Amino acid sequence: MQGLMMQQPLLVASLLVHADRHHGDQEIVSRRVEGDIHRYRYRDLAQRARRMANALAALGIEPGERVGTLAWNGYRHMELYFAVSGSGAVLHTLNPRLHVDQLAYIIEHAEDRVVFFDLTFLPLIESIASRVKSPKVFVAMTDREHMEQTCSGSSMLMCYEDLIDLQSDEFDWPLLDENSASSLCYTSGTTGNPKGVLYSHRSTLLHTYAAALPDSLNCSARDVILPVVPMFHVNAWGLPYIACMVGAKLVFPGPALDGQSLYELIETEQVTLSAGVPTVWQGLLSHVAERDGAFSSMRRTIIGGAPCPTAMTVQFQERYDVDVLHAWGMTELSPVGTVCSFKAHQCALSGNDRYAVQAKQGRSVFGIDMKIVDPQGDELAWDGKAAGDLLVRGQWVTRQYFRGDDVSPLRDGWFPTGDVAKIDADGFMQITDRSKDVIKSGGEWISSADIENVACLHPQVTMAVCIAARHPKWDERPLLLVVRQPGSMLTGGELLAFLDGKIAKWWKPDAVIFVESVPLGATGKVLKRQLREQYGNYYL
Ligand code: AMP
């Protein structure tokens, strides 16, 4: 027998419609690329998103086609979040920290029809335009005046404000299939070329419900949320959608992610909840400590993307009375998987016992199941001791990469995360290692294989191995171990200069160590784990 409830698809546009109708007066504040502060309300967001939906139709964007963005966290980016997905196209957020060749590859692979960009990225757009084969429309996310100041001579560009000025603000959001694609985000956290994760309206809405819950990111209409985590990195952990769902005030930092700018914004806008990777918070904490400041409104901060150091948790909580919510997720998980919020019996814990719990990545939110397995695939006990490959499954976990090679990444219906973890009897997961061969620096991925390949092009290099070494500021930085050709006097400086221009600047290893040989396993594979044990603390 069928239930007799209304059939309403779970659609991204419905979040905006809700925010418009029920929280229309709520504010959205953005620090703009142009330097000033912009503020408006959900009502204005909804109106401008409808205009942009009309503009996309006028550009000939069809349902299912991809629309790229290369932009900071700001209101125009938010408008595109809803205009693009809401009208049936696919919002493709691009990570400007990638090398221009990778960006060009991703734009071609996704077949983006249009790319919207913040003025900061004009030089990047010009380099991309000369590399992509199919003609694209590029739209500068600014007004005519700023465009004329910055982009004179670039005839291929359109202007965001011109585009929507011409349009009506009447637009009926189409009743889409909830399983149709809403957005796309490429991840470099795998080996090989970046891979696309294609979210659906349904997965996005279910993720939004679950991530907003009290034991998840704990968001409400009384919150003022500052997503420092970029909107190009897994949709700023879903916070733009969550804010619409709960009617929270949103504060966007734009390009200014330094401690002073963030602190000013937190205090002037009375932010209650912020979210970002540990590296960003380090800058903020140093700034506040230097001026002997305090947080007058911020009570919670979500820290994820990399392990949250206990010293950071202690500082936030003891010195500033800001609760730390340690969370774990992945691009492939939309991203929230686990959040470290206490169970009732843990609330009485104090001191080191409390911090030992908070150092864990946390427990599953409803919708995500997880398990740890040994190399044979057998499930390991949740005893807080056994560590194994972490596998997950759920309604907002990818089952296939976008235009992948048709080989499912799943193992018996579970997604292998590439993280190695243990789980305790309370269901709290703690990451102990990583089986995927990538480096995460300041919350963004660096491909060790790409660096090795480029280093090996040097005629005096016999073998190059790049490992993740722990770093006090960036969490991890690449360290290059090199076997030179016999008799070679190649120096580290010469080799690093050779890498210039061939990889993104911030990918360049901070040091090169010349070694006689590297340890190899039975199948000839480099034993990176052994090298990480030996050299992993090099930068500490
Ligand atoms: P991304 O897809 O770029 O969001 O990266 C996901 C990966 O980042 C995970 O598979 C982990 O390796 C790492 N990661 C994310 N959050 C944490 C965390 N809280 N602690 C440790 N590693 C994390």
Side-chain angles (χ1 to χ4, degrees), residues 25-43:
D25 282 337
Q26 184 61 282
E27 258 192 317
I28 299 175
V29 180
S30 310
R31 193 192 289 278
R32 290 203 270 207
V33 171
E34 293 88 344
D36 57 345
I37 297 280
H38 171 273
R39 47 182 86 234
Y40 70 1
R41 298 177 191 282
Y42 276 111
R43 185 170 301 124

Side-chain angles (χ1 to χ4, degrees), residues 399-419:
R399 62 182 157 85
Q400 185 92 48
Y401 289 107
F402 179 57
R403 298 195 164 154
D405 45 16
D406 283 343
V407 180
S408 165
L410 305 189
R411 272 196 241 158
D412 293 332
W414 292 76
F415 178 79
T417 63
D419 288 318

Side-chain angles (χ1 to χ4, degrees), residues 490-498 508 512 514:
L490 178 69
T491 65
E494 285 164 353
L495 183 55
L496 290 177
F498 176 77
K508 208 156 85 168
V512 178
F514 292 106

